[in-house]
Amino acid sequence: MGLVERGAALGALEEFAEEARRGEGRLVLVGGEAGVGKSALVERFRERVGDARWSWGMCDGVFARRTLGPLFDISAQLGGRLLEECRDGASREELFRGLLCEVGGRDRLDVVVVEDVHWADEGTLDLLGFLGRRLRGAALLVIATYRDEGTEGDFRIALGELAALRSTRRIGVQPLSADGVRLLAGCGDTKAEALHRLTGGNPFYVTEVVRSGMSEVPGSARDVVLARAACLGDAAREVLDVVALGGVRVDYPVADAVGLTKVSAVDEAVASGLLSGDGEGLRFRHEIARLAVQGAVAPHHARTIHARLLTALTSLGCDDDPRLAFHAEAAGDREAVLRHATAAARQAARLAAHREAATEFRRALRYADSADPATRAGLHEDLAEELALLDQWQDAAEESERALADWRAAGDVRKEGDALRRLSRIRWNMCHGEVTTLEAAVAILEPLGPGVELAWAYATFANQLMLLYEFEAAEGLARRAEDLAGPLGATDVLSSALNTAAVCAESQDREWEAGMGRALRLAVDGGHHDQAGRAFTNTVSLLSGRRRFADAERHVREGLAYCVEHDITTYVTCLRGEQATVLERTGRWEESLTISAGILATVDRSPSNRLCTLRRIGSVLSRRGEPDVWRHLDEAVELAERAGEPQQIVSVRLTRAEAFWLENRVEEARREAELAHKAVESSGPWERGASALWLRRTGSGRGPRAGIAEPYGRELDGDLTGAARAWQALGCRYDAALALSGAPGETELRDALKILNALGAVPAARIVRRKLRERGVRSLPAGPRPATREHPSGLTLREREVLTLLRARRTNAEIAAQLFISVKTAGHHVSAILTKLGVPSRQAAAAEAARLGLGDP
């Protein structure tokens, strides 16, 4: 049956191919519902562009997502250097560059197809982004097909980011019209209308009804498929069942090894129209049909088929460990599951696909009960590391505790000490600010002599002491870690130690950037993704703390690109948090609040990231005079005190002091400022300056610490206009306005009011307006009125615009294009809306908005 109503889509693909031939490479996203004909469209396009070199990769929804599975498929077709790199275990970066080198030339058109990317692992999505950003000058057309229904969360965000690339074009494959159904089915108007109404114009459903010869339209696609399957002989039905359980495709050698050797049975299954046979193997014509047959296979028979497939694949030397682990689990082969799932997890971790790695480690652990304690401990430990990178700290702590118990059972003292060190780090990130666990680790490891484990213990201990502002002791331990790590070639430990030493130096107002730069280079060059993420985050934090915002934002961009590409969720969150802090400090409060709300919606299990986000949201809400300030700041102070880190205590206490002061609760503000003062003794000049200023503003008799940053020093010395100029030069408009608000003259107060009104800083503007009226000034500009006060769900004006587009079923990319914002910002707005409406998905937000009468398109 031919293609119907696809002329425009084929024409667009041909146009994109011609652009690619001219060196204007294109990434084409082909979306549509299951069964609408995306693959058929691409196959027909292939017939029209026969002179190009084509390579295909498939994302498999049957097995756990194989890390970079499509890239490995493509390498097998292209061969050469890329195939060698895949077989030799090259790094992800090397594989990405290898593929681009192979297909990114100008001498011929290359078409790379990746099918079903809604099932893609994160590495494959990153690969599409990598190629999409490098298509200029390449005669390369990359086509990615995906289902556009039922996709939410991370995939939608990734899709939006791909759609925002300059090289990207989109094609939406729509269901057929009633006329299209009539042409496809070859039937009269009356039956075509009924068929269109019941199939929704889905070409797969229409085709299956026609092929089945049914006189009535069935109730479901499953009924159609199973009715056709029931007509097959036993041997042909066995072929169908094996292929259904075998994945996207069962290659002919596998089919032979599994016992599908009867040619007539294979021919009968293909003739049914459910299977297709090409030069490489057997596959279902559509995933809907495969799922229908798979669901009809009796459980005991499915177990036998999976065992046969596992034996066949193993005998043929298959190295697709996720696939082997899947069949082993379905067959009940515990030893094979443990072996293959472990190998799959470690390969995924090496390729920075941390979600896939965690999935496979969990699979392995389900079958590790009979393994020896050391094997189980290693699996728990590796899973804990992956979970930590994914910002899932509670789960990481539980796995780390299990690893510790198993190392003790194994009697491995060195590993026990290292497990205590790992557990201490995880607990610290959960705001359990104690060093006893780490002290126990050092006590165990030191008598055992030099080793990587002891070097790591010193480096981790140095980091924790640095966070407690015990800088001298921290630097001493960092040097000991460096001394051990250098001869051992442990560049990850060395990077950690240098990072900590750099932070200590900055906090004591010494040169720090060279040391931090070396820590970052070591981490990046050594492939130590977590240490690279930490170095980027600390660099941004220190630059922002010194109000070097342009430098901070540059490092945010570089750090986010790195951490997103390497699937380091923890540090993606940290860097977005630091980005939101820069926005908070520079008066871009709406953007800061949007990013922060998006973070808060995803960090329930990451107390340290939650703490910083709660403080930031509380700060912006208090400055704008909006409700819900204290719910955020009360939880923040509880977490800060539990963590025991001076930097967190000072930051949260000073934010609370300001919030109380803005509400004219001066005694409570003074108490918060004095509590911050207790913790600020060993901090840097900016924190000491902020503490001293809030002591002054709240009327505390406690004196400032020595060594205060310039703008604070000017204000404390009474040079309020000089302080305001210094703050403005740094980009801190709100701080400049607060400095001017303390001046006695009308001009300065009017300048302060103008800035505060522009920022929407209602409470501070009210204070300045009162001062002006006390001086007899009557002609004053109207104060700002927060838009969110007028909205029943607390949505900002921008969020209301986004909600309107959500109700119109727009994607993040479409929202971004219409509102002239980035796709990431659109995603943050969507997350904030979901949080404020208390709903789990975009569809639920649209439904709730309709119920409340909000965002009517």
Side-chain angles (χ1 to χ4, degrees):
M1 304 180 79
L3 285 183
V4 175
E5 297 183 342
R6 299 294 181 251
L10 282 168
L13 284 171
E14 290 175 346
E15 178 184 341
F16 301 149
E18 286 307 309
E19 291 172 350
R21 288 184 197 276
R22 296 195 299 267
E24 301 171 23
R26 292 286 179 254
L27 168 60
V28 184
L29 304 178
V30 179
E33 66 184 48
V36 81
K38 301 180 292 294
S39 297
L41 172 69
V42 177
E43 288 282 4
R44 178 60 59 85
F45 173 57
R46 182 180 189 177
E47 295 172 7
R48 296 191 178 192
V49 191
D51 62 328
R53 181 175 65 165
W54 286 72
S55 47
W56 297 68
M58 298 180 186
C59 303
D60 200 326
V62 183
F63 319 124
R65 296 171 181 178
R66 183 189 182 193
T67 304
L68 296 178
L71 190 150
F72 285 97
D73 291 342
I74 292 166
S75 73
Q77 298 160 41
L78 296 176
R81 173 79 180 182
L82 179 62
L83 181 59
E84 291 177 12
E85 289 176 334
C86 287
R87 289 173 173 170
D88 293 343
S91 69
R92 188 165 88 158
E93 292 82 356
E94 291 169 330
L95 294 177
F96 284 12
R97 287 194 297 269
L99 175 60
L100 183 62
C101 182
E102 181 64 35
V103 298
R106 292 290 300 269
D107 55 333
R108 65 166 170 238
L109 175 64
D110 266 284
V111 182
V112 173
V113 181
V114 182
E115 293 202 70
D116 296 329
V117 298
H118 52 277
W119 283 325
D121 64 287
E122 289 211 43
T124 296
L125 294 174
D126 289 343
L127 173 62
L128 291 173
F130 175 88
L131 294 174
R133 288 187 292 271
R134 293 163 175 82
L135 290 175
R136 172 173 269 181
L140 174 60
L141 185 66
V142 181
I143 302 173
T145 69
Y146 68 96
R147 291 185 191 170
D148 63 3
E149 84 275 24
T151 53
E152 289 295 335
D154 292 341
F155 174 69
R156 269 291 171 194
I157 293 172
L159 188 65
E161 291 173 353
L162 292 174
L165 297 174
R166 293 184 63 180
S167 64
T168 300
R169 301 294 183 267
R170 299 185 74 163
I171 294 176
V173 184
Q174 302 300 321
L176 301 177
S177 66
D179 285 341
V181 170
R182 178 175 53 77
L183 287 171
L184 185 63
C187 60
D189 290 345
T190 302
K191 186 173 181 180
E193 287 288 346
L195 198 55
H196 180 266
R197 185 169 57 254
L198 291 170
T199 63
N202 185 292
F204 171 79
Y205 297 152
V206 174
T207 302
E208 292 306 301
V209 170
V210 173
R211 281 181 171 160
S212 69
M214 292 182 172
S215 57
E216 298 292 331
V217 177
S220 71
R222 182 177 184 276
D223 295 338
V224 177
V225 173
L226 295 183
R228 291 172 64 192
C231 298
L232 299 176
D234 290 345
R237 179 57 191 264
E238 176 72 0
V239 172
L240 218 59
D241 291 348
V242 170
V243 177
L245 297 176
V248 170
R249 183 182 66 220
V250 173
D251 292 339
Y252 288 125
V254 177
D256 291 342
V258 88
L260 304 184
T261 55
K262 193 173 181 181
V263 175
S264 60
V266 173
D267 289 344
E268 183 182 354
V270 172
S272 74
L274 292 173
L275 293 185
S276 66
D278 54 25
E280 297 180 349
L282 299 168
R283 61 180 297 179
F284 274 81
R285 289 187 179 276
H286 202 282
E287 177 68 6
I288 295 173
R290 191 196 67 76
L291 288 172
V293 174
Q294 175 187 281
V297 180
H300 68 280
H301 188 43
R303 187 182 180 99
T304 301
I305 290 175
H306 281 295
R308 288 161 55 196
L309 284 165
L310 177 63
T311 300
L313 290 165
T314 304
S315 69
L316 292 168
C318 174
D319 61 355
D320 187 344
D321 285 300
R323 184 179 187 183
L324 294 169
F326 166 79
H327 289 305
E329 186 170 29
D333 189 335
R334 302 180 70 87
E335 290 185 6
V337 175
L338 182 58
R339 181 169 62 256
H340 294 298
T342 301
R346 291 193 170 135
Q347 182 193 39
R350 181 178 58 79
L351 293 172
H354 302 296
R355 286 176 175 79
E356 285 71 32
T359 297
E360 291 295 352
F361 278 128
R362 283 192 167 112
R363 191 205 298 267
L365 281 163
R366 289 199 295 271
Y367 295 87
D369 291 345
S370 59
D372 62 90
T375 298
R376 288 198 309 272
L379 290 170
H380 286 303
E381 201 164 79
D382 289 341
L383 176 56
E385 288 295 310
E386 298 304 310
L387 293 169
L389 289 171
L390 294 171
D391 218 20
Q392 299 175 25
W393 293 99
Q394 180 60 47
D395 292 344
E398 292 169 5
E399 293 300 326
S400 195
E401 286 165 357
R402 294 184 182 113
L404 176 60
D406 280 332
W407 285 126
R408 283 172 173 163
D412 192 323
V413 179
R414 189 180 293 275
K415 288 292 189 180
E416 177 187 350
D418 194 47
L420 283 167
R421 188 269 307 175
R422 293 170 186 265
L423 180 59
S424 172
R425 168 179 166 263
I426 290 169
R427 285 176 174 170
W428 193 278
N429 279 279
M430 295 173 67
C431 293
H432 297 308
E434 52 86 20
V435 296
T436 54
T437 304
L438 197 46
E439 288 172 340
V442 172
I444 288 173
L445 292 169
E446 281 187 330
L448 301 178
V452 172
E453 295 83 2
L454 181 58
W456 260 126
Y458 286 152
T460 305
F461 207 166
N463 178 53
Q464 293 185 5
L465 291 176
M466 175 267 289
L467 293 171
L468 291 172
Y469 283 11
E470 297 180 23
F471 298 122
E472 185 176 346
E475 287 189 277
L477 279 170
R479 282 193 294 272
R480 293 171 74 178
E482 290 179 46
D483 292 342
L484 285 176
L488 294 169
T491 52
D492 50 352
V493 184
L494 189 57
S495 173
S496 177
L498 288 167
N499 188 323
T500 297
V503 176
C504 290
E506 190 278 338
S507 298
Q508 297 171 87
D509 217 16
R510 305 198 320 262
E511 199 287 322
W512 60 277
E513 290 182 78
M516 187 66 78
R518 186 181 171 210
L520 178 58
R521 287 192 300 275
L522 281 170
V524 171
D525 293 346
H528 311 308
H529 302 148
D530 56 337
Q531 291 305 318
R534 180 178 174 236
F536 275 119
T537 299
N538 282 347
T539 299
V540 173
S541 177
L542 298 181
L543 290 169
S544 173
R546 287 182 168 265
R547 279 50 174 185
R548 290 170 53 187
F549 299 122
D551 291 336
E553 291 189 287
R554 176 171 57 83
H555 281 85
V556 164
R557 291 190 294 272
E558 294 173 3
L560 280 175
Y562 180 92
C563 292
V564 168
E565 184 174 333
H566 293 88
D567 194 18
I568 316 171
T569 304
T570 291
Y571 288 111
V572 169
T573 303
C574 289
L575 283 164
R576 285 183 174 151
E578 293 294 344
Q579 180 183 30
T581 298
V582 170
L583 295 168
E584 173 204 0
R585 287 171 169 163
T586 54
R588 292 172 282 175
W589 293 341
E590 186 63 35
E591 294 174 78
S592 177
L593 202 59
T594 297
I595 293 174
S596 298
I599 293 171
L600 197 61
T602 63
V603 295
D604 281 346
R605 310 194 75 181
S606 176
S608 59
N609 279 329
R610 184 173 180 82
L611 161 58
C612 299
T613 306
L614 287 165
R615 184 213 63 78
R616 197 164 46 245
I617 291 175
S619 172
V620 173
L621 293 178
S622 71
R623 290 176 177 182
R624 300 206 310 192
E626 296 182 7
D628 224 14
V629 172
W630 295 106
R631 178 172 68 85
H632 291 89
L633 293 184
D634 286 346
E635 184 182 348
V637 77
E638 179 184 338
L639 289 171
E641 291 294 338
R642 193 174 86 192
E645 296 179 23
Q647 63 172 340
Q648 302 291 10
I649 294 170
V650 170
S651 180
V652 171
R653 290 291 182 188
L654 291 181
T655 299
R656 289 169 63 84
E658 180 185 343
F660 279 127
W661 181 77
L662 290 170
E663 294 179 4
N664 200 30
R665 297 160 66 180
V666 180
E667 288 187 11
E668 291 157 294
R670 184 184 307 122
R671 176 179 176 275
E672 294 290 343
E674 289 174 349
L675 287 171
H677 182 68
K678 289 181 180 179
V680 83
E681 182 174 359
S682 298
S683 60
W686 292 91
E687 288 174 310
R688 290 197 296 271
S691 172
L693 189 55
W694 282 106
L695 288 171
R696 172 75 62 84
R697 284 180 180 153
T698 58
S700 173
R702 301 187 184 183
R705 308 282 186 187
I708 289 174
E710 180 200 357
Y712 293 116
R714 285 180 177 274
E715 190 164 351
L716 290 166
D717 291 339
D719 181 9
L720 302 180
T721 55
R725 283 195 299 271
W727 284 121
Q728 287 278 29
L730 292 168
C732 302
R733 294 182 292 158
Y734 181 73
D735 296 279
L738 287 192
L740 291 171
S741 72
E746 179 182 338
T747 301
E748 291 84 353
L749 289 173
R750 281 186 175 277
D751 288 344
L753 185 59
K754 182 178 179 180
I755 295 170
L756 295 170
N757 282 344
L759 289 170
V762 177
R766 188 184 301 121
I767 292 170
V768 174
R769 191 174 288 105
R770 185 174 65 246
K771 288 184 176 182
L772 283 165
R773 287 188 177 131
E774 288 171 354
R775 286 159 174 75
V777 179
R778 290 291 176 262
S779 177
L780 295 174
R785 184 179 184 185
T788 54
R789 287 183 171 179
E790 302 171 6
H791 200 275
S793 297
L795 299 182
T796 65
L797 179 60
R798 177 64 88 190
E799 287 165 356
R800 277 178 270 169
E801 292 174 329
V802 172
L803 181 59
T804 299
L805 295 173
L806 275 182
R807 285 194 61 185
R809 306 296 179 182
R810 298 290 192 270
T811 66
N812 284 359
E814 291 166 339
I815 292 170
Q818 187 155 340
L819 299 181
F820 300 100
I821 58 178
S822 72
V823 176
K824 283 186 179 179
T825 298
H828 291 315
H829 282 304
V830 171
S831 296
I833 291 167
L834 300 187
T835 300
K836 290 181 180 181
L837 293 182
V839 293
S841 67
R842 302 164 74 95
Q843 288 86 348
E848 179 67 5
R851 187 182 72 79
L852 296 172
L854 308 175
D856 188 345

